[in-house]
Amino acid sequence: MTRSWKRLFTGIAATLTLAAGSTVSAAPAHAATPFAEIDPATAQQFTLDPVSSFDGQPKNSFDVYGEAIKAVEAGGAITRKDSNALLASGGWSTGTPGLCHDTGLSASLSPSGFCWKKGDDLSSSYNSEGGWTPQGVTGSYDAQPGGLVDGHTAFLASWHFSRDMHTSTPKPNEFARLSLVNADNGKITYDNLLLVEPTGSVADGNGNFRAVKGIHADGVVWYGNKVFVASGRWLQVYDLQHIWQVADTGREAVGITDGVSSARWSAYALPMIGKYRTTGADTEACVVRTGATPCLNSLSLDRTGQDGLVSAEYVRGGAGGRVIRWPLNYLTALPSTTDPSGRGVSHATRGFTSPVWDMQGATTNGTTWYMSGTCPTGVGGGSGDPVASYSCIHRALPNNAPNVYTTSPVYTQNLGYAPQTKRIWGLNERINTTTGSRVVFSITG
């Protein structure tokens, strides 16, 4: 979450430059409060509901968007691609292998990773021009049990675009995108996919699309061909078999005009195929810490037992955010449901209350839980940042108090776990328009 308003596998690891960091600390989180399991009966009250309001009528979002996607693809204004095609063709943007900035990660955890191209490293939402800010990270380690997608080592990162966030008239979350990264052979190339909402129907012949607005793209998980994007009460679903290459990359406009498609200077748009909400109505706000309408502020995947989607709540300036596990159906690559369509209401199966302050991410290796957030007093100094200390990654067993596992890059966000290599992945969002500060990192977990 942007602080201004919300307080590679082993095969490539050898080619990624390590950065020195602080040693692992045994300091407790802010208090010796346990990472406490929520009563299962309470956790099961948390739901994901795919029904939403369209033209004032409750409809299953997968039905509505599915029809709209057919209409757009039948219209001929876009060229349909998939993730394999993009990964095989090489990206429009080039990043840097290795950790190009100080990270604070303990050298004993063998840190590695990569950096974005300069423009994405330096981008800022604080000015009137606006900029993209990274939030979530996932990869082929989540997408497939073997850790590769069509033979590729790949990553996905979620970003939001905001402007004037340090003014009295901020303009948050105007657009959202995913960056699809090819990390084969120690090289970093990537394409940006603008997130869009499809509209229209085949019958009316009016297929079109518009930018997804008002989402922070807090978290992201790649599961099979599906991509989950979290933002507050919403869990949006995308399908990497439906990537739309647009005709005109020189337009700011988003959509199809006079038969010509564009996606705000991007070469690709990614249409939403469905969405879930944790609340009883589209307009109802989610609530952190208490009640039955949790907020989805980060995402990770847990392949222990039945596959599960893990969400976590961000509590600004405090603790008590909930970590919730939602069961997944590997056949549909969607949240499990008893609905015969495979696209119905899903109930959480497990939950925890976290004592980590300002929790930004949570993941597990099936036994130990790891959470990114604020460091306890006396830990996190030495970042060299004029206004911010390092973040910390905390670890805990269920119903035990967390300890600091390592300091981590300033404003560390989401975390994920790669079971194939037993490594934790994460990224940070820190805005630094002078030298940059953003990395995608990996450590032993």
Side-chain angles (χ1 to χ4, degrees), residues 2 123-125 131-135 158-161 429 431 438:
T2 304
S123 63
S124 173
S125 60
W132 292 98
T133 305
Q135 296 294 294
S158 61
W159 308 64
H160 68 84
F161 182 92
E429 69 169 3
I431 294 174
R438 293 170 179 163

Side-chain angles (χ1 to χ4, degrees), residues 88-106:
S89 64
W92 286 49
S93 298
T94 302
T96 305
L99 296 173
C100 59
H101 300 300
D102 173 51
T103 64
L105 296 165
S106 171

Side-chain angles (χ1 to χ4, degrees), residues 225-371:
N225 290 313
K226 303 296 197 307
V227 177
F228 302 108
V229 176
S231 189
R233 64 184 175 274
W234 295 108
L235 179 69
Q236 299 177 347
V237 188
Y238 299 83
D239 190 335
L240 293 178
Q241 296 178 106
H242 294 270
I243 298 173
W244 292 344
Q245 183 174 5
V246 299
D248 191 345
T249 60
R251 291 186 184 183
E252 184 176 9
V254 177
I256 302 170
T257 304
D258 297 328
V260 179
S261 58
S262 58
R264 197 174 182 270
W265 303 303
S266 176
Y268 302 102
L270 186 64
M272 194 186 314
I273 68 164
K275 61 183 178 182
Y276 299 85
R277 64 172 187 242
T278 63
T279 57
D282 290 0
T283 56
E284 181 183 349
C286 62
V287 179
V288 298
R289 294 197 282 203
T290 63
T293 57
C295 295
L296 312 176
N297 299 129
S298 80
L299 291 178
S300 64
L301 183 69
D302 177 15
R303 285 194 180 271
T304 306
Q306 179 182 2
D307 294 347
L309 188 68
V310 175
S311 65
E313 293 180 322
Y314 169 80
V315 179
R316 182 178 181 178
R322 292 169 293 185
V323 178
I324 300 171
R325 195 181 196 277
W326 310 87
L328 294 172
N329 183 330
Y330 75 94
L331 295 175
T332 62
L334 292 172
S336 296
T337 179
T338 58
D339 191 300
S341 72
R343 302 172 301 178
V345 174
S346 182
H347 294 263
T349 56
R350 198 176 187 189
F352 301 88
T353 298
S354 171
V356 173
W357 284 46
D358 299 298
M359 181 172 59
Q360 298 278 14
T363 193
T364 182
N365 61 13
T367 301
T368 303
W369 287 83
Y370 301 88
M371 296 145 282

